[in-house]
Amino acid sequence: MLALRLTRAARPAVQLRRLLVAAASAGTGFLLLSTLGHALAHPENPAASALRLAWCAVPLAATVHLALAVARTDPGTRPRPGLAAIGLGPARLMAVSAMTTALSTLLGSMLALLFFLHLRGDLTGMPFDGAARDFLAAGLPLPWPAALTLLALAPVSSSIAVVLMLRPRDARVAARTAPRMFGRFGAYATTGPGETFGAYGRFGSRAVRPRAGRAVPAAGTAPAPAAHDAPSPPESTLPAPADGAPGETVPAAVNGSAQDDAPPTRDIPAPDPTALPWGTALLAVGLAVEAYADRGPDIGGLPLPGGLPTGPAAVLLGWTLTAVGLALAGPGLTHLCGRLLQAARPGALRLLAGRGLMQEASRIGRPLGVVCAVASGAYTMARLYDPADPSFGPLTTLGAVVVAGCTVATLLTAAVEARQSRADTTAALLRLGAPAKALRTAAALRSAALLTLFVPLTLVVAELAALPLMR
């Protein structure tokens, strides 16, 4: 019931993102049901039906990726101070996020089932009733357990992914695994979360603890005011610093809540991605496998979708390794863009843009790497497409639209999440007098730096991936 209320009371932008998840789930569900219809219409060729079902894993993975990104940016399920007192702790909010994702994907699956039944001719009342009777085996009874099982793949997979990603973590384990930081001149070592860029510019967000050695008056005696000291707040109203150092600045309480009630920092990614070497290695191995695929013994080709020529199975393995490598290397490449942007005596704009990219590398880098992998695959399909091949049909078009739309929507959703995370920094800069034009220029610099690096990389990977099938 709480998930339904949060779904109904959300803002139009949030509802639009949920509708995108429902549309992606509908497209994936229709592809899975079409595979079932092909298996019913061609019982003598189960291998072709199994291959079609295997190809449906790509749009299914894209749908789960989009649902996870939308769940991360849902403002209705974010932890807030005081929610744990009414029973809405991190575990309950995680369950609400999973239920909201399940509702969106179930809506899409039901739409896919209705559209499938109309195309088969089982339901009437639409202009396209029975338009695909031969392909969807309209003359045969539909096995409902198999159909419902296929339709449940997207909701179940998306909900499990949301639970695994947003599950509450032990604060003590997170403190042990956090990167080690140092205080003034390396004197004090802590394991607390680092400050975000621009945090010191927030008005009233930090309070200074009085230094040790200042006399505290005893009970029942009046303190002797000094002429040069300003009145300070009571000792009990100031939280203790994290490392116990005198004079350290610590975050103040928010809305009367203690610091322990602050929302956990599960949405703040690690500032320095470390998967760039692994992503580069997987990318190199994938390209090497594709390059040597046609030099090995001829063990039969693997039918590829979309009118692509039949090639060795090692080509598909190379494409998979290349896509995974781009996804892993995306955060590291984004972090590298930020470092290069602020190199060689940067000004204020380049420094702001570079630090912003470094801070958001783990958030937008992986969706950007996935978009590069999909774009390279689309470029390869465009280079190898044969118009005379009849295998490029409406289902291939639907699958390509679902994958491309999900990846682009995931990238845009990650950009929205990054904008929400730096809202406090933007407000602090505006209060300090920074012009809005400078912030827009910094955003344009970030976009230009990413395009300068990722567009040539996508073209090079696509050209190398298409070489084994062009010979």
Side-chain angles (χ1 to χ4, degrees):
M1 184 60 67
L2 180 59
L4 287 175
R5 290 185 177 182
L6 291 176
T7 302
R8 185 183 61 181
R11 297 194 301 266
V14 180
Q15 299 286 14
L16 178 60
R17 293 196 290 266
R18 291 171 180 170
L19 287 178
L20 289 177
V21 174
S25 178
T28 304
F30 185 79
L31 290 174
L32 292 170
L33 292 177
S34 301
T35 302
L36 178 61
H38 182 273
L40 292 176
H42 303 84
E44 72 282 353
N45 193 5
S49 300
L51 185 60
R52 286 172 177 265
L53 183 61
W55 280 114
C56 290
V58 180
L60 179 62
T63 302
V64 172
H65 194 204
L66 175 60
L68 183 59
V70 171
R72 285 174 57 89
T73 57
D74 193 350
T77 57
R78 287 182 177 272
R80 294 182 180 89
L83 287 182
I86 60 174
L88 292 179
R92 182 72 180 275
L93 291 178
M94 177 266 297
V96 171
S97 298
M99 289 298 299
T100 305
T101 304
L103 288 175
S104 301
T105 50
L106 276 176
L107 175 62
S109 297
M110 293 301 103
L111 291 177
L113 180 60
L114 289 177
F115 193 72
F116 179 78
L117 293 178
H118 275 290
L119 288 179
R120 275 174 54 94
D122 297 339
L123 297 180
T124 57
M126 300 295 290
F128 50 85
D129 291 336
R133 292 178 179 270
D134 298 335
F135 178 76
L136 300 179
L140 299 175
L142 183 66
W144 285 102
L148 294 179
T149 300
L150 292 176
L151 288 176
L153 287 179
V156 172
S157 303
S158 302
S159 301
I160 292 176
V162 170
V163 169
L164 292 178
M165 181 59 65
L166 304 183
R167 69 186 185 277
R169 295 174 175 85
D170 191 356
R172 293 170 296 180
V173 176
R176 288 196 299 266
T177 58
R180 187 176 180 87
M181 299 182 301
F182 297 93
R184 299 186 305 271
F185 302 104
Y188 301 99
T190 62
T191 56
E195 291 291 344
T196 57
F197 181 65
Y200 284 84
R202 301 171 191 165
F203 178 75
S205 63
R206 304 182 67 84
V208 180
R209 182 180 176 89
R211 295 183 177 275
R214 180 174 297 180
V216 179
T221 62
H228 59 278
D229 288 341
S232 59
E235 182 76 17
S236 60
T237 62
L238 293 175
D243 54 359
E248 288 291 325
T249 58
V250 293
V254 181
N255 295 332
S257 301
Q259 185 180 357
D260 295 336
D261 295 335
T265 58
R266 61 173 175 84
D267 291 337
I268 300 178
D272 297 329
T274 57
L276 181 59
W278 297 101
T280 305
L282 282 179
L283 180 61
V285 170
L287 293 177
V289 170
E290 294 172 11
Y292 288 94
D294 57 343
R295 300 185 182 181
D298 189 7
I299 57 176
L302 179 67
L304 301 178
L308 297 178
T310 300
V315 174
L316 179 59
L317 177 61
W319 285 1
T320 304
L321 292 176
T322 301
V324 175
L326 284 174
L328 288 179
L333 293 176
T334 306
H335 194 271
L336 179 62
C337 281
R339 285 192 175 275
L340 294 179
L341 193 58
Q342 55 182 340
R345 294 185 178 181
L349 289 178
R350 288 172 53 198
L351 183 62
L352 181 61
R355 289 298 300 268
L357 276 182
M358 292 172 61
Q359 185 70 26
E360 300 165 2
S362 297
R363 183 177 284 111
I364 66 174
R366 187 155 299 163
L368 190 57
V370 174
V371 168
C372 289
V374 173
S376 63
Y379 182 82
T380 303
M381 291 180 63
R383 288 288 306 272
L384 302 177
Y385 172 63
D386 185 9
D389 195 337
S391 61
F392 191 86
L395 293 181
T396 305
T397 304
L398 177 61
V401 168
V402 169
V403 173
C406 286
T407 52
V408 174
T410 303
L411 179 59
L412 295 179
T413 305
V416 170
E417 183 184 4
R419 183 178 181 181
Q420 292 175 355
S421 66
R422 65 171 182 266
D424 295 339
T425 301
T426 303
L429 291 175
L430 291 176
R431 284 195 301 267
L432 291 175
K437 182 180 178 181
L439 299 181
R440 291 192 294 266
T441 306
L445 281 177
R446 289 194 295 266
S447 302
L450 293 177
L451 290 176
T452 303
L453 178 62
F454 281 94
V455 170
L457 176 64
T458 302
L459 294 178
V460 170
V461 172
E463 286 287 347
L464 295 177
L467 284 179
L469 298 179
M470 292 177 62
R471 297 174 180 175

